């Protein structure tokens, strides 16, 4: 009898093993999905990144479910070019999206560029976009499900979080009905400025849907309002009441975005996809303030990035300090869907090189810190009239910026120009009033051809080391690396501004005295 009991227990044990094996097989063969949550001009106004005033409990909770990245940079500090770069894994000079995709600007990517939605569709992944798209042509960026500014008012699909929630629900019902893996890309319009186009809603459309008279109502939004004298002011914004009130309005729209994130994640959970979906939260470029968006200083390039993986082995509530480019999102998503091998990229984080890499290995373990890691940036336009091409390379300790059109003043976009913050700078400068800012308007406008910064000693990027003793070796090394990246990515501006590119290989000097050098 005692032997029979042992046999029965052994049988139960075998059945248990078989059950676990089958369950593991079921899990491993379950469809994988991705949700990308993209803020519009969003920065570090997040509790997870140390902001103690702006209330973002839902994004903070997402960070606790995954990895928060502390050294992330966009490859271009402009809306359409950044979105195109994220969706193609190519810098703006390579994919052709040189500036904003508005009719008046007429910028589009090249017709032969491969984008995430097109590539994933060819592998049976259903793709959707809700919110701001702002890239073209349509044939290059074709999603199966599209609810964007092209067929809606941008505020309804980008700021009305109740409407966004219902569109997400519709999308998830479709993929569940058809039993297809999916990519859902949600392009929030918050916290983009709107004072230039729709001033009745406030500088950041912070009154849109607030329930105030004439503002409409967003049922799922509980507005948060902030005291201007209590905001957490970034170093690159002047400490005045006008600027602080501007930041307070921005905070309100960040809190609306945060509540929208909660609604989307709740829909994901209700549809049964929390445990099979990679969730990525980031932004397109720096905040729309001086030295932010359109600039290559850190306030313009540095981005938040949170990735939450449902894998059992994935890190939770941890931080990464690896140097990351938003160009890495493209191979990361391909890697998640198991089609990385088709692209000219890899997931070998430890031997990064200077091409985009999958970030999935970082979600498992933090790679060793390396001083050789670098990210690159390339910008040509923002608006059509804002021709100010720049190229940059940034390591963990230094940044080299090449301003190709340095003889001209740095251009200012319409949104920033009309903002209370920039008008405050203009008025104080014109009237020679005190301006508690970290630089002058003249210094902001006029920049040298080369800028080299020791970011550990000078995080505000005020002390240009170009041409100074003791920095020649560092600058030479970074120049060589930047030019090699430009050559590898077929940059048409490779030889600018002192030479003409002949074919794909030869830079022919213009003898204009700018003393550039090129790899032959």
């Amino acid at each position: 009898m005692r032997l029979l009991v042992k046999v029965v227990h052994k049988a139960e044990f075998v059945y248990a093993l078989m059950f676990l094996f089958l369950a593991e097989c079921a899990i491993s063969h379950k469809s994988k999905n991705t949700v990308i949550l993209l803020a519009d001009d969003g920065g570090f106004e997040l509790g997870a990144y140390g902001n103690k005033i702006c209330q973002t409990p839902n994004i903070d909770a997402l960070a606790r479910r995954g990895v928060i990245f502390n050294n992330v940079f966009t490859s271009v500090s402009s809306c359409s070019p950044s979105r195109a770069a994220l969706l193609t894994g190519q810098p703006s000079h390579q994919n052709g999206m040189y500036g904003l995709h508005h009719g008046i600007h007429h910028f589009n990517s090249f017709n032969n560029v491969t984008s995430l939605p097109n590539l994933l569709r060819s592998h049976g992944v259903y793709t959707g976009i809700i919110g701001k798209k702002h890239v073209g042509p349509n044939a290059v960026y074709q999603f199966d499900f599209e609810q964007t500014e092209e067929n809606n008012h941008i505020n309804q699909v980008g700021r009305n979080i109740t409407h966004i929630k219902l569109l997400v629900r519709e999308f998830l019902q479709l993929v569940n009905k058809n039993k297809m893996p999916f990519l859902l890309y949600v392009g929030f319009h918050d916290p983009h400025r709107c004072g230039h186009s729709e001033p009745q809603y406030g500088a950041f459309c912070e009154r849109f849907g607030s329930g105030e008279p004439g503002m409409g109502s967003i049922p799922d939004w509980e507005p948060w309002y902030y005291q201007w004298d209590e905001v957490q002011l970034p170093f690159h914004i002047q400490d005045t009441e006008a600027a602080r009130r501007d930041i307070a309005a921005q905070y309100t729209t960040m809190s609306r975005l945060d509540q929208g994130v909660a609604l989307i994640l709740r829909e994901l959970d209700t549809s049964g996809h929390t445990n099979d979906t990679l969730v990525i939260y980031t932004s397109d470029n720096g905040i729309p303030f001086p030295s932010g968006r359109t600039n290559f200083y850190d306030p313009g390039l540095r981005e938040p990035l949170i990735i939450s993986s449902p894998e059992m082995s994935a890190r939770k509530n941890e931080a990464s300090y690896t140097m990351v480019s938003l160009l890495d999102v493209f191979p990361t998503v391909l890697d998640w869907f198991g089609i990385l091998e088709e692209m000219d990229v890899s997931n070998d984080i430890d031997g990064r090189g200077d091409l985009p890499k999958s970030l999935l290995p970082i979600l498992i373990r933090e790679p060793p810190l390396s001083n050789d890691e670098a990210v690159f940036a390339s910008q040509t336009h923002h608006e059509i009239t804002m021709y100010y091409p720049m190229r940059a390379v940034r390591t963990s300790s230094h940044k080299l910026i090449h301003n190709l059109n340095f003889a001209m003043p740095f251009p200012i976009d319409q949104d920033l120009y009309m903002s209370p913050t920039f008008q405050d700078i203009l008025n104080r400068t014109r009237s020679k009033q005190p301006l508690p800012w970290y630089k002058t308007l003249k210094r902001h406008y006029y920049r040298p051809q080369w800028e080299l910064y020791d970011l550990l000693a000078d995080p505000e990027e005020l002390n240009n080391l170009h041409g100074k003793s003791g920095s020649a070796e560092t600058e030479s090394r970074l120049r060589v690396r930047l030019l090699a990246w430009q050559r590898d990515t077929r940059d048409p501006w490779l030889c600018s501004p002192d030479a003409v590119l002949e074919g794909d290989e030869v830079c022919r000097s213009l003898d204009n005295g700018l003393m550039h050098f090129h790899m032959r």
Side-chain angles (χ1 to χ4, degrees), residues 39-311:
D40 196 357
D41 296 354
F44 297 93
E45 306 78 29
L46 302 165
Y49 279 100
N51 191 306
K52 301 183 187 308
I53 306 300
C54 191
Q55 299 299 300
T56 55
N58 301 295
I59 297 174
D60 300 345
L62 180 65
R64 291 192 293 271
R65 287 172 36 191
V67 176
I68 183 169
F69 291 78
N70 287 305
N71 286 311
V72 179
F73 303 85
T74 181
S75 68
V76 51
S77 190
S78 175
C79 179
S80 297
S82 179
R83 291 160 193 266
L86 185 148
L87 290 171
T88 64
Q90 297 179 353
S92 61
H93 66 254
Q94 190 174 22
N95 67 51
M97 186 67 71
Y98 298 138
L100 297 181
H101 179 68
H102 288 304
I104 193 171
H105 304 315
H106 197 58
F107 288 112
N108 283 282
S109 289
F110 299 124
N111 292 330
N112 62 345
V113 169
T114 300
S115 71
L116 268 181
N118 287 6
L119 181 59
L120 292 177
R121 183 184 308 107
S122 69
H123 285 81
V125 178
Y126 192 76
T127 62
I129 179 171
I130 296 169
K132 188 171 182 177
K133 187 176 185 182
H134 212 204
V135 292
N138 284 330
V140 170
Y141 301 97
Q142 184 80 50
F143 290 82
D144 299 306
F145 179 98
E146 295 199 2
Q147 293 291 333
T148 71
E149 74 277 9
E150 296 179 358
N151 53 359
N152 298 267
H153 191 286
I154 183 59
N155 283 345
Q156 293 300 329
V157 290
R159 301 189 198 264
N160 185 340
I161 60 175
T162 296
H163 190 49
I164 294 171
K165 173 192 73 174
L166 296 176
L167 291 174
V168 170
R169 183 179 299 173
E170 180 183 348
F171 174 83
L172 292 173
Q173 288 173 345
L174 281 173
V175 296
N176 279 352
K177 179 180 178 180
N178 296 316
K179 298 180 180 178
M180 297 178 68
F182 65 84
L183 165 72
L184 177 59
Y185 172 106
V186 181
F188 290 97
H189 197 27
D190 283 332
H192 194 284
R193 289 187 179 278
C194 78
H196 172 65
S197 57
E198 296 179 298
Q200 70 272 23
Y201 292 128
F204 283 86
C205 271
E206 70 276 8
R207 299 176 65 197
F208 174 76
S210 64
E212 300 174 56
M215 297 296 108
S217 178
I218 300 174
D220 289 294
W221 180 35
E222 180 184 347
W224 287 78
Y225 297 105
Y226 297 86
Q227 297 296 318
W228 64 267
D229 56 346
E230 294 180 356
V231 299
Q232 201 164 311
L233 197 69
F235 76 88
H236 58 100
I237 301 174
Q238 75 271 23
D239 192 354
T240 65
E241 180 177 340
R244 284 179 167 273
R245 287 188 180 278
D246 219 10
I247 290 288
Q250 180 209 27
Y251 278 14
T252 297
T253 57
M254 278 300 299
S255 292
R256 180 168 56 200
L257 182 155
D258 178 74
Q259 293 176 41
V261 168
L263 295 175
I264 293 169
L265 296 182
R266 195 173 304 143
E267 292 297 321
L268 196 67
D269 191 50
T270 301
S271 66
H273 288 294
T274 293
N275 295 324
D276 57 29
T277 301
L278 185 76
V279 178
I280 301 172
Y281 171 86
T282 188
S283 182
D284 53 352
N285 45 245
I287 61 176
F289 287 87
S291 295
R293 186 184 67 187
T294 75
N295 287 264
F296 272 8
Y297 304 120
D298 270 10
L301 291 179
R302 201 158 202 160
E303 300 301 328
L305 177 64
I306 296 167
I307 304 181
S308 175
S309 169
E311 297 288 340

Side-chain angles (χ1 to χ4, degrees), residues 43 132 217 312 353 421 444 466 512:
K132 188 171 182 177
S217 178
M312 294 294 293
T421 297
H444 187 69
H466 166 67
N512 57 15

